[in-house]
Structure formats: structure tokens, C-alpha cells
Amino acid sequence: MKSYLKIIIGAVLIGGLFAYLFYRDINDSVVALTNKEYEISLFQLGVFKDYDNAINYQNNFGSTIIYEDNEGYFRVIGGIAYHEENVVKLEAYFTNKKYEYYIKKIKVTEDFTDMLVNYETIMIKTDKEEVIDKINNSMLELFLTYLD
């Protein structure tokens, strides 16, 4: 009887260990899927504590927006990208215009990224600067409506 009891206890312990390891692996994957965060890249051309300074700086560029972050800073934004292909494309675009920029990552909702992707699919397919400029302007306007 004792040998059967040892086998049963051993089987339960080994089974429990495998179940724990399997559950932990699955649980981490489920948490990662449910807490998926969407991150976009903002091409920041300048950052100011004073709104009037941001307006004055914004006048040096073509199409830009001013975005006030949670810390009270006014950021002059020249472009937005979600996919890495468009980040690279906008980097080349701003470098060609000789704009100095900083890429700032922010978290956004899934709904906003879904709307942004509609514009990005067009941007991926073009190399024409005027088309990139128009699409980028539309994405900046979309970002302003998202902030409201």
C-alpha cells in the first residue's frame, strides 16, 4: 500500500508542477494580449513651457500642430507615425527639409491607431513629397481631433 501512495503523491506533485508552469506561461501571454498598448511616434520640432513661444516657433515651419502634454509643456509637432516604415519615411522627409526633430513616443487608443493606419497605408505606397505632406497634414488634424 505504501508504494502506491508514494507513486500517487509523486504523480500529483509532478502534475502540479507542470500545471503551474503551463498556467504561468499562458497567464503571461493572456495578460500581454489584453493589456496591449498602442504607441505612436510624434516628430517633435520644439517644446516650450509658454504657449506664445510655441506659437512663435511654429511659424517657422509649414504644417505643424501644438500639443499640450500632461506635464504642461507645449510641443510643436510636425509629424505622426504608427508603423516603423512611416517613421523611417518621415525621418527622411524632415531631414530633407533640414528640420531638427525629436521622436517622442506616446500611448494612444486602439481606435486612434485604426484611424491612423488608414492614412499610413497610403503613405507607405508613395515617395512623392507633396503627397507625404498632405497625408501628414491629415494625420496631424486627426491627432488634434483625438485630443479633444
Side-chain angles (χ1 to χ4, degrees), residues 54-65:
I55 291 285
N56 289 336
Y57 190 73
Q58 181 185 33
N59 292 333
N60 296 325
F61 303 99
S63 299
T64 57
I65 60 169

Side-chain angles (χ1 to χ4, degrees), residues 31-136:
V31 168
L33 286 174
T34 57
N35 291 336
K36 186 172 182 183
E37 294 179 333
Y38 295 87
E39 191 173 73
I40 62 171
S41 299
L42 299 178
F43 284 77
Q44 176 181 292
L45 304 176
V47 60
F48 301 90
K49 190 69 173 163
D50 183 55
Y51 182 74
D52 291 333
N53 290 342
I55 291 285
N56 289 336
Y57 190 73
Q58 181 185 33
N59 292 333
N60 296 325
F61 303 99
S63 299
T64 57
I65 60 169
I66 296 177
Y67 154 65
E68 184 178 7
D69 65 11
N70 295 337
E71 297 154 7
Y73 289 102
F74 298 97
R75 300 179 185 277
V76 178
I77 305 299
I80 299 172
Y82 175 60
H83 289 101
E84 188 61 32
E85 288 177 77
N86 284 329
V87 170
V88 171
K89 189 168 281 199
L90 286 176
E91 284 178 330
Y93 172 77
F94 287 120
T95 301
N96 188 34
K97 287 185 169 258
K98 299 191 182 350
Y99 289 175
E100 292 185 23
Y101 60 86
Y102 169 77
I103 297 178
K104 177 160 181 60
K105 304 274 188 179
I106 65 166
K107 307 248 186 279
V108 293
T109 63
E110 180 180 8
D111 292 337
F112 178 71
T113 56
D114 288 344
M115 290 186 291
L116 200 60
V117 166
N118 293 330
Y119 292 98
E120 285 202 325
T121 53
I122 299 167
M123 188 183 286
I124 288 171
K125 296 177 183 177
T126 187
D127 288 326
K128 294 182 180 179
E129 194 168 295
E130 62 273 2
V131 175
I132 293 171
D133 190 44
K134 287 181 182 179
I135 295 169
N136 188 47

